Every structure is written in C-alpha cells, then in structure tokens.
Amino acid sequence: MSDTRGRILDATLACLVRHGYAGTTARAIAQAGGFAPGVLYYHFADLDDVLVAALTHTCEARAQRYRDELSGVDRAGRAVEILRGLYLEDTEVGHISAVQELYAGARPGSRLATQLTLETRHWEALAAEVLTTLLSGKPFANLVRMPVLANAAVAFYLGAETLAHLDEDSSKVMEFFDQAAKLAVYFDRIPRLRRSTPG
C-alpha cells in the first residue's frame, strides 16, 4: 500500500469516528489527512470505493491482531482475558466506532453492504477457529454445530458493540467480560476426553 493510499484510509477511519457516516465526505477526509480532495480520486474511483477500502483495511488489521493473540489458546480463562484486552484496543484505535458507522450507513445491495457481509464471514471463521480450539476434547463438543456457534458469537459481539457505541458506554461490555471470566473458570475445569487408541 502506498503511503498516500494509507493516509487516505487512516483519514477516512478518523472521519468516521469524529463525524459519523454522514459527515465522512471527500472534503472532510482530505482535511483530516492534510491533502487536497483531488488526491482521493487519484487513488479511488469514488467515495464508496474509499469506504469499502477503509473497512477492509481496519478489519484485516484487527483480525490479524486477534488471530496472533489467540492462536493456540486452549483455556477459556486466558481467551477471555485476551479478548477483553483486544476489545479495549478496538475502542482505543477507533475500530469499533468506525465500523459501527459503516454498518449504520450501508445501503442494502451496495458495495459497502456486500463488503460488510464478507468481513462478517471472516470474523465468523476466526471465531470458529478459536472456539474449535477451546472445545477440543470437551465431552459436549460433538453436540455443537460450530458454524452456528461462531455466527452467534459474532452476532453477540456486534450487538454489544452497537449498544456500547450508541450509548457511548462500554461498561456493559466490560460486565460481560467479567461474567465470562467467572464462567471460564468452571469451563476450564471440565476435563478433556482422551482419544482411545486402536488396540
């Protein structure tokens, strides 16, 4: 990614956080990034193209961060601790606010809506990876339909983020992490079944 293209995407995300979807215009993005509005159209076809690219940019970066931190984690308590920290990072860097504005502004059938759907599928795939590791060997693991559980996990996360964004209050999300941490203690005590070896 060129430095200018990266500056445009970062400025777009900053605009979404500061001004919301409606206020994220080409002029506002240019002002936030410190470049002329025409520069934007040298690198992107139109404003929708910029928004789609900005969404992909922030989601890819954050998903990789989640994947790096959660890779191989097989204890629920540790996973909840990591997820809490990542959520706070999401809030601090503006990822949550920016993505929530894009969800609110996306028109059904638009390129942005299509990309939001695709990014949601990517997060579901990541959730499935993490949940598969956590459930591996647990006695009830074979009762779980992983795609359904991963979809529910992402839907819950998006819903919690939406409420926190609208209320400008993340305390309820922190309460969820507190509750999840308590439940994780008991989950981690459930022994994993040993695989029988052929005699």
Side-chain angles (χ1 to χ4, degrees):
M1 182 183 298
S2 70
D3 288 344
T4 303
R5 184 180 173 89
R7 283 175 59 200
I8 292 171
L9 297 182
D10 288 340
T12 302
L13 293 168
C15 269
L16 287 164
V17 174
R18 290 179 201 154
H19 308 302
Y21 180 85
T24 302
T25 62
R27 184 178 297 278
I29 293 170
Q31 186 174 17
F35 47 78
V39 172
L40 188 145
Y41 295 108
Y42 180 80
H43 292 272
F44 299 95
D46 52 30
L47 184 57
D48 279 352
D49 194 25
V50 179
L51 294 173
V52 168
L55 171 66
T56 303
H57 175 63
T58 188
C59 283
E60 285 183 351
R62 293 310 297 163
Q64 188 58 53
R65 177 84 173 116
Y66 273 69
R67 189 168 271 109
D68 291 343
E69 289 296 305
L70 290 163
S71 178
V73 174
D74 63 356
R75 303 283 292 178
R78 179 61 180 149
V80 171
E81 180 184 344
I82 292 170
L83 286 168
R84 185 199 298 268
L86 291 170
Y87 176 84
L88 291 173
E89 279 184 17
D90 285 345
T91 303
E92 184 177 345
V93 301
H95 170 76
I96 290 175
S97 293
V99 171
Q100 288 300 322
E101 288 297 328
L102 291 171
Y103 267 105
R107 301 181 310 278
S110 66
R111 281 180 290 164
L112 182 56
T114 299
Q115 192 64 33
L116 281 165
T117 300
L118 180 61
E119 296 301 337
T120 302
R121 299 292 88 81
H122 290 163
W123 283 104
E124 288 173 359
L126 175 56
E129 291 174 23
V130 174
L131 290 166
T132 296
T133 301
L134 291 176
L135 287 167
S136 178
K138 296 292 184 178
F140 46 80
N142 61 344
L143 301 177
V144 176
R145 291 181 59 199
M146 190 53 66
V148 176
L149 184 59
N151 177 273
V154 172
F156 176 83
Y157 202 72
L158 286 173
E161 287 183 348
T162 299
L163 292 176
H165 179 62
L166 292 174
D167 295 341
E168 296 184 336
D169 178 13
S170 62
S171 62
K172 291 181 180 178
V173 180
M174 290 300 104
E175 288 175 1
F176 159 72
F177 282 117
D178 291 341
Q179 183 66 63
K182 292 176 182 177
L183 294 173
V185 172
Y186 296 97
F187 179 87
D188 286 334
R189 289 176 183 170
I190 301 172
R192 299 181 190 274
L193 299 175
R194 295 182 180 179
R195 292 183 179 178
S196 58
T197 55

